[in-house]
Structures are given as structure tokens and as C-alpha cells.
Amino acid sequence: MIPGLLEKLGQWFSRSWMFMCFFAGFFLFWEYSIGWFDVPRYILPRPTEIITKSAADIDRLLYYTWVTGSESFTGYIIAIVIAVPLGLAIAFSSILRRTIYPFFVSVEMVPKIAFAPLFISWLGFGFLPKIIIVFLVCFFPIVLNAILAFSSLSEELTRFCSATGATRTRAFLKVRLPAALPQCFVGFKYGAINATVGATIAEFIGSDQGLGFYIQIVTGNMRPDLAFAAIFMLTALGLFLFGLVTLAERLLVPWHISQRRNK
């Protein structure tokens, strides 16, 4: 067990060492360039100052991270649950492709954040308007990629299913769904990237808690160190959600991951 774990860690390090070196170099340059260029601390603090000063407010940071994470995760999951079946229905229905699909494409062109003030004014500063904003920014990339995934099955696979005498249900579960999953995960990843963005901007517009609210408060108090601490927490939150999607992709479509690595 331990040798296998060490082998996987070695493989991960061999793939990630360049990024890790760049990441470390970036923060070292940030740390020392403050003194080199004599940048005022109230404009740009050092990373070490951000860590030490935020430690005193870690309880509030963690709580607001939980609030923003709950909004992001809830809206994202609801978007997946609704978007994938709807994308499947549109892919299989010519009527829906001619009516709802063009509507979705046109709505996708509209910045979803423009609706945020309306939802805040209608529903207040609570949990629900944040979830709706997250849902909107995640829903359209997921549903459009799901439509593309389920409608782009090759003719060869369709003929193969017909030749084997498989029922439509069996052909869908064994052929069409596995073939569609890689493209679906493209939409899932876009949605994961958008989720924390939607939650944070909704908190900017109207909220009394969450990391977006926290950033507004500390920047108003001229505390860029705490603002950067909240930004780091948002980054970690987004990476965590994206990592969960990537892990699910590796478990559900391992053949696609192998093909992509071999290219």
C-alpha cells in the first residue's frame, strides 16, 4: 500500500513540479518586491503579513467561507440536477431544439449578474437570492454542453447499437451516456469555476455575511491584508469545488482521462 502511495505521489510531483516552482517563485517575488519598490503596506501587504494578520480573524474568515461555500455548492448542485435532464430532453426533441435551445443561447449572452439587484430587491439579503444567482451562472454552461454531448453521438455508434438489437434504454445506458459524459464534464467544470464567482458578486450587491460581504467591510476599513486573506479563501474554495469535479471525472470516465494523457 505504501509503495503504491509513494508511486502516485511521485507521479503527481513529476506532473506538478513546474507549477509548484512558479507558485513559490511568484510569492517570493511578491514578498521581497514590496521592499524593493517601497510599496506602502496599505496598498499591497506582504504575503507573510496577510497570513499573520488574518490569523487573528480566522474564526470569522472560516465562518464566511462556510457561508459562501454553502451558497456556491447548493446553487451548483441544483444547476446540475436541472440542466442535465433538460439538456437530454432538448437533444432528443426536435421541437425543444427549435424553441428552448435558441432561447437558452440568447439568454447566455446576457450577464447573469445583471439580475442580482432584482433578486436582492425581491427576496432580500438571505440565502435564496445568492443560490439563484449561482444557479444562473452555472446552469447555462452545463445545459448547453449537455445538449452538445447528447446530440453529438457518431453515426457509427448509432448503427452499432441498432445492429446488436439493443433496446433504446440499454443503448442509452451502455453507449450514449458514457459517450456524452466527457462533454458533460466540460460544462460541469465551467459551472464549478462560475459558482464561487456568482456567490461572491451576489454578496457584493447585497448581503450581511459571506466572503464578498467581508471583502467590502475590510476594504472600507483600509485593511487590504484581510481582503487578500478572503481572496485566498475564495481561491481555495474554488479549487476545492473544481477538484471534486475533476475527481468525479476520473472515477466516471477514466478512459477519457487516459486518452487525454496519451495525446
Side-chain angles (χ1 to χ4, degrees):
M1 181 177 179
I2 294 178
L5 179 61
L6 292 176
E7 182 182 357
K8 289 183 178 179
L9 287 174
Q11 293 174 353
W12 176 82
F13 182 78
S14 66
R15 294 194 302 267
S16 307
W17 70 269
M18 293 183 66
F19 166 74
M20 294 170 64
C21 291
F22 173 80
F23 190 80
F26 172 79
F27 278 97
L28 285 173
F29 176 78
W30 181 356
E31 177 74 22
Y32 291 104
S33 64
I34 301 297
W36 295 342
F37 300 106
D38 196 23
V39 180
R41 300 294 192 272
Y42 62 86
I43 294 179
L44 184 64
R46 298 175 186 267
T48 51
E49 292 175 343
I50 294 171
I51 294 172
T52 54
K53 296 294 179 60
S54 62
D57 205 26
I58 190 63
D59 291 338
R60 190 161 59 145
L61 270 169
L62 290 176
Y63 172 70
Y64 285 157
T65 301
W66 170 258
V67 171
T68 303
S70 300
E71 296 165 354
S72 304
F73 187 77
T74 303
Y76 177 67
I77 293 299
I78 295 174
I80 291 177
V81 170
I82 296 177
V84 174
L86 186 58
L88 176 63
I90 293 173
F92 278 85
S93 172
S94 60
I95 296 176
L96 294 180
R97 281 200 304 272
R98 294 171 184 169
T99 54
I100 297 181
Y101 180 66
F103 173 75
F104 282 166
V105 172
S106 61
V107 174
E108 173 63 3
M109 306 300 173
V110 180
K112 311 306 174 301
I113 305 305
F115 296 105
L118 293 174
F119 292 128
I120 297 296
S121 64
W122 293 339
L123 303 172
F125 289 173
F127 196 60
L128 183 58
K130 316 308 188 298
I131 293 177
I132 294 175
I133 295 300
V134 174
F135 168 81
L136 287 177
V137 299
C138 295
F139 172 79
F140 291 96
I142 295 174
V143 72
L144 293 177
N145 277 279
I147 295 169
L148 177 62
F150 289 115
S151 60
S152 61
L153 188 66
S154 64
E155 291 292 332
E156 291 79 7
L157 285 176
T158 304
R159 295 194 196 97
F160 173 76
C161 294
S162 301
T164 57
T167 62
R168 297 186 66 179
T169 302
R170 185 173 180 81
F172 173 79
L173 294 176
K174 295 295 183 179
V175 178
R176 188 177 288 272
L177 180 60
L181 281 177
Q183 185 64 43
C184 286
F185 270 100
V186 174
F188 296 161
K189 289 179 178 179
Y190 276 115
I193 294 171
N194 292 340
T196 54
V197 176
T200 304
I201 294 179
E203 291 167 355
F204 281 158
I205 294 173
S207 181
D208 55 2
Q209 54 185 348
L211 289 175
F213 168 76
Y214 183 83
I215 291 173
Q216 283 188 312
I217 295 299
V218 296
T219 51
N221 294 331
M222 298 299 292
R223 293 295 306 272
D225 49 353
L226 296 181
F228 274 106
I231 292 171
F232 290 162
M233 298 297 279
L234 280 171
T235 303
L237 190 61
L239 288 174
F240 176 73
L241 184 56
F242 189 85
L244 288 179
V245 177
T246 303
L247 177 61
E249 183 184 25
R250 291 182 178 179
L251 294 175
L252 295 176
V253 286
W255 67 89
H256 179 66
I257 302 296
S258 300
Q259 291 175 356
R260 195 165 58 192
R261 286 179 180 172
N262 293 332
K263 288 184 179 180

